[in-house]
Amino acid sequence: MMPSNWYNIVPDLPAPPPPPLHPATRQPIGPDDLAPLFPMELIGQEVSAERYVPIPQEVLDVYRLWRPTPLIRAHRLEKALGTPARIYYKYEGVSPAGSHKPNTAVPQAYYNAKEGVRLLTTETGAGQWGSALAFACAQFGMECQIWMVRASYDQKPYRRSLMQVYGATVHASPSPITGAGSKALADDPDSPGSLGIAISEAVEVAAATPDARYALGSVLNHVLMHQTVIGEEALAQLPEMPDLVIGCTGGGSNFAGLAFPFLRDKLAGKIQTVFRAVEPAACPSFTRGVYAYDFGDTAGLTPLLKMHTLGHSFVPDPIHAGGLRYHGMAPLLSHMYELGLFEAVTRSQSECFEAGIRFARTEGIVPAPEPTHALAETIAEALRCKESGEEKVILTALCGHGHFDMGAYDRHLAGRLEDYTLPQERIEQALTELPG
């Protein structure tokens, strides 16, 4: 049941996505521009025109620790809601790191180790990606350095501990050990950090260290492609085709991993499924950002990516869904959103935690804060079905458990979890700094 290939959706799109650009020349970047950061195998996958890419045997051997992951029908949630809708969820929290992130961390570590890389650097928001890469590096005997966004570093100490158990070194970002971090601290000594700043720090160290490379947990094409094992398995497991597929989006890998194999069938005219991305109201890249070329990081060290962005200088409020606190969205998903291939909505922090608690009290699994966004929308859709009498089939991805996020649930249960209403002027200010 576990797929032997990753699915690359790019050849099936009605129009190709815009290429990344070199920030100095504004010309499409080539393999040599990416070589200081990524191994050639991953660079090849980033620009691949092949519909299917074989999964190496060494990667499959590690995947077998948790794949295939279960597809579960939420009977108890359906009953509690009194809905005629049928709800299925693909549960990725059974992986060693507790989320979907090892689906790409393992192949990234494998391809780097194959090229003789000693050290991988990365950033992490909530700690899900950092945990996954630390685990993957341990499988292939590599060192791992992680810059963890300060807000999550303080809120989620046990995620930090998990990375250290796997052997990683973890820095709070912004940190004084990089130029990008030092500048951020000089501008704001109490900065909560952002994924953009943490990316700058990790990229800076990787680029300056000969036997080091950088690994990214979302956003890039090869990352989204690695995650399609989720949707490929779900297609094989489902007893009926979904009318609606719902996923949370921060950078986009979880939603893409679930949706792309189903989108392949929709683009081929085989199904009529609707796809819906759910993002935090405090960091609404799809719904309130602009589609423009922007840097993937705060310091401007990355290539220019055509994406939905709130501006690379935008620092989101310190919501507990740390994995969704990114100023931009995957360029491939941004392109597909412009093509009208899926919808996007926002949900507030408090309604997401309410959905998480409702899910835990019926289905028994405490979700990570990130997938509670998809659950909130799933519950809302199921209640709309209750009103209309529609027997919709809804599929969502429960991309991780919340066992290390109980501090956030404590705050919610105590009534101390705030909803952040993002003022338009903050977005407009950040957008003034888009590259001209």
Side-chain angles (χ1 to χ4, degrees):
M1 190 181 293
M2 183 170 62
S4 57
N5 297 288
W6 294 301
Y7 168 56
N8 177 20
I9 198 171
V10 173
D12 291 331
L13 295 179
L21 302 180
H22 193 288
T25 65
R26 300 302 170 95
Q27 296 299 308
I29 58 172
D32 290 345
D33 297 311
L34 296 174
L37 295 180
F38 303 109
M40 291 309 297
E41 290 263 18
L42 291 179
I43 293 171
Q45 290 181 8
E46 186 65 19
V47 298
S48 176
E50 297 297 319
R51 186 171 282 106
Y52 295 99
V53 174
I55 303 174
Q57 187 60 50
E58 294 88 343
V59 173
L60 289 171
D61 289 343
V62 183
Y63 275 0
R64 286 193 181 92
L65 289 173
W66 73 96
R67 303 218 69 87
T69 60
L71 178 86
I72 302 168
R73 181 165 169 194
H75 287 286
R76 293 177 180 275
L77 179 62
E78 293 170 11
K79 183 178 179 181
L81 297 174
T83 180
R86 296 186 291 281
I87 301 170
Y88 296 88
Y89 60 96
K90 183 72 165 150
Y91 184 41
E92 293 292 299
V94 296
S95 79
S99 77
H100 69 297
K101 293 293 187 178
N103 297 332
T104 185
V106 171
Q108 289 192 54
Y110 165 73
Y111 288 123
N112 275 283
K114 193 177 171 186
E115 288 196 11
V117 173
R118 173 188 60 86
L119 166 68
L120 279 180
T121 71
T122 197
E123 76 294 328
T124 193
Q128 299 273 25
W129 167 242
S131 303
L133 191 66
F135 157 74
C137 285
Q139 304 312 300
F140 296 102
M142 303 173 71
E143 294 180 35
C144 185
Q145 284 198 41
I146 300 164
W147 276 261
M148 187 175 186
V149 174
R150 166 60 76 176
S152 294
Y153 186 92
D154 293 337
Q155 290 169 352
K156 305 174 191 292
Y158 296 116
R159 287 211 184 276
R160 182 173 75 240
S161 298
L162 182 59
M163 294 177 236
Q164 292 167 334
V165 165
Y166 285 135
T169 301
V170 187
H171 311 284
S173 175
S175 75
I177 62 177
T178 68
S182 297
K183 181 182 183 302
L185 288 171
D187 293 341
D188 179 7
D190 298 318
S191 171
S194 71
L195 280 167
I197 296 170
I199 291 171
S200 295
E201 296 201 79
V203 167
E204 181 181 323
V205 171
T209 310
D211 55 352
R213 294 293 183 272
Y214 168 70
L216 189 61
S218 192
V219 176
L220 296 180
N221 293 0
H222 68 269
V223 180
L224 274 56
M225 183 183 71
H226 295 159
Q227 292 294 352
T228 57
V229 292
I230 303 172
E232 295 285 28
E233 287 180 5
L235 265 172
Q237 292 167 319
L238 275 167
E240 53 190 338
M241 279 298 103
D243 298 297
L244 177 62
V245 172
I246 299 174
C248 64
T249 49
S253 69
N254 161 65
F255 175 70
L258 178 67
F260 281 5
F262 290 91
L263 270 163
R264 173 188 59 210
D265 287 359
K266 184 172 184 179
L267 289 166
K270 296 178 181 178
I271 59 175
Q272 296 300 314
T273 303
V274 173
F275 301 87
R276 188 172 299 154
V278 190
E279 59 185 6
C283 196
S285 308
F286 274 136
T287 53
R288 294 177 66 187
V290 298
Y291 186 51
Y293 272 104
D294 195 9
F295 292 107
D297 70 315
T298 300
L301 301 178
T302 69
L304 294 174
L305 306 172
K306 187 76 176 285
M307 61 183 177
H308 282 266
T309 179
L310 297 166
H312 63 276
S313 65
F314 177 75
V315 177
D317 291 300
I319 58 173
H320 280 275
L324 306 185
R325 292 179 71 248
Y326 183 55
H327 67 270
M329 191 58 65
L332 182 53
L333 279 176
S334 296
H335 172 64
M336 293 168 65
Y337 187 60
E338 290 294 303
L339 292 175
L341 296 181
F342 61 90
E343 309 167 350
V345 297
T346 63
R347 288 286 169 183
S348 69
Q349 184 166 237
S350 59
E351 64 184 330
C352 292
F353 274 94
E354 276 300 310
I357 288 172
R358 198 169 201 171
F359 189 84
R361 291 177 181 175
T362 52
E363 294 298 310
I365 299 169
V366 179
E370 290 78 14
T372 62
H373 291 70
L375 290 174
E377 182 61 25
T378 297
I379 289 170
E381 185 68 31
L383 292 174
R384 286 192 283 269
C385 289
K386 182 180 181 179
E387 293 297 317
S388 67
E390 290 179 276
E391 296 184 7
K392 281 188 180 179
V393 177
I394 304 170
L395 171 65
T396 190
L398 185 54
C399 59
H401 66 64
H403 297 172
F404 297 119
D405 300 288
M406 297 315 297
Y409 279 95
D410 280 347
R411 287 178 61 83
H412 175 74
L413 290 167
R416 294 187 289 113
L417 202 64
E418 300 175 41
D419 281 332
Y420 294 92
T421 302
L422 183 61
Q424 183 61 27
E425 53 266 28
R426 277 187 57 195
I427 299 176
E428 292 172 358
Q429 174 58 42
L431 292 177
T432 63
E433 299 183 39
L434 287 178

